[in-house]
Amino acid sequence: MTHKTENLTPQESLEIITSMINQAKGNIQHSSFYFLLWGWTIAIANLGVYVLLRFTSVENPFLMFSLTIPAAVLSIIHGARNSRETGAPTHLNTIHNWLWFGFGVTCVILVVFGKQTNWQINPLVITMCAVPTFISGILLRFRPLMLGGIAFWAFGIASFLAPMDIQFLLGALAVVFGYLVPGYLLKKSEA
């Protein structure tokens, strides 16, 4: 197998690099689906826990977060379908995917060991949401996601200072400003 090297002009090199960045950005921009799916799932779960804690005597209101199981299945199916349609992933796509995978693994670890923190994991998760959201905004050069990450940090701080039931109300508000608003704006920009 013989490799033929071409000497590219600086303009041609710049066009290739720009094309690759735009392809990666385009692939990632289809992530509005995930922000909307997870935004609605987590907002509903947080509001459900808040209502159950505040107004009922249900023994385990935290089971509302079992809504994340079908959301995870939908995410996997959607991701598999998208990867077939978009072709080979770019480095930017790979970084983006592993960033969110690492976030998901960390959330699962917090849930598994939640008892050791007296189940006070909502402020931790809200605060952690800031990092992949903010970085996704940087990767996409999409300011609403960067602001969504900042909103997660702010709501995370407020959650650490709030009583447990209010933490879930703050969690719902955090995903509205951190995932849903940017997700709908991202979806609009995809059209």
Side-chain angles (χ1 to χ4, degrees):
M1 182 185 234
T2 309
H3 261 314
K4 182 180 169 187
T5 58
E6 291 182 32
N7 289 330
L8 299 174
T9 67
Q11 181 62 34
E12 290 171 328
S13 296
L14 185 60
E15 287 173 6
I16 289 171
I17 292 168
T18 303
S19 168
M20 291 173 65
I21 290 170
N22 287 337
Q23 177 192 357
K25 188 175 176 182
N27 291 348
I28 292 173
Q29 275 187 322
H30 294 293
S31 60
S32 68
F33 169 83
Y34 300 104
F35 289 108
L36 297 176
L37 171 68
W38 286 101
W40 282 110
T41 300
I42 301 301
I44 291 167
N46 270 293
L47 287 173
V49 172
Y50 171 75
V51 167
L52 292 173
L53 280 174
R54 192 76 171 200
F55 304 109
T56 72
S57 59
V58 170
E59 193 169 309
N60 194 351
F62 308 106
L63 287 176
M64 287 296 299
F65 283 100
S66 61
L67 291 172
T68 60
I69 296 168
V73 171
L74 281 172
S75 289
I76 291 167
I77 292 168
H78 187 268
R81 207 175 283 155
N82 266 0
S83 68
R84 277 183 270 153
E85 292 173 7
T86 58
T90 65
H91 288 298
L92 196 58
N93 291 104
T94 302
I95 291 167
H96 191 249
N97 291 341
W98 281 110
L99 171 69
W100 283 100
F101 177 79
F103 168 73
V105 168
T106 304
C107 286
V108 169
I109 291 168
L110 285 174
V111 169
V112 168
F113 293 100
K115 187 174 182 179
Q116 278 74 8
T117 63
N118 196 27
W119 300 106
Q120 296 288 311
I121 60 175
N122 215 35
L124 296 170
V125 172
I126 292 167
T127 304
M128 286 183 350
C129 285
V131 175
T133 305
F134 187 79
I135 292 174
S136 292
I138 291 170
L139 292 174
L140 290 171
R141 295 184 181 164
F142 192 65
R143 189 174 307 272
L145 276 175
M146 289 187 267
L147 294 172
I150 293 168
F152 274 119
W153 278 314
F155 281 105
I157 291 168
S159 291
F160 277 112
L161 302 172
M164 186 182 222
D165 60 338
I166 301 300
Q167 290 175 8
F168 295 97
L169 192 57
L170 292 170
L173 288 170
V175 296
V176 165
F177 291 106
Y179 287 168
L180 291 176
V181 170
Y184 281 111
L185 292 172
L186 189 58
K187 184 178 175 103
K188 184 177 176 183
S189 77
E190 291 170 6

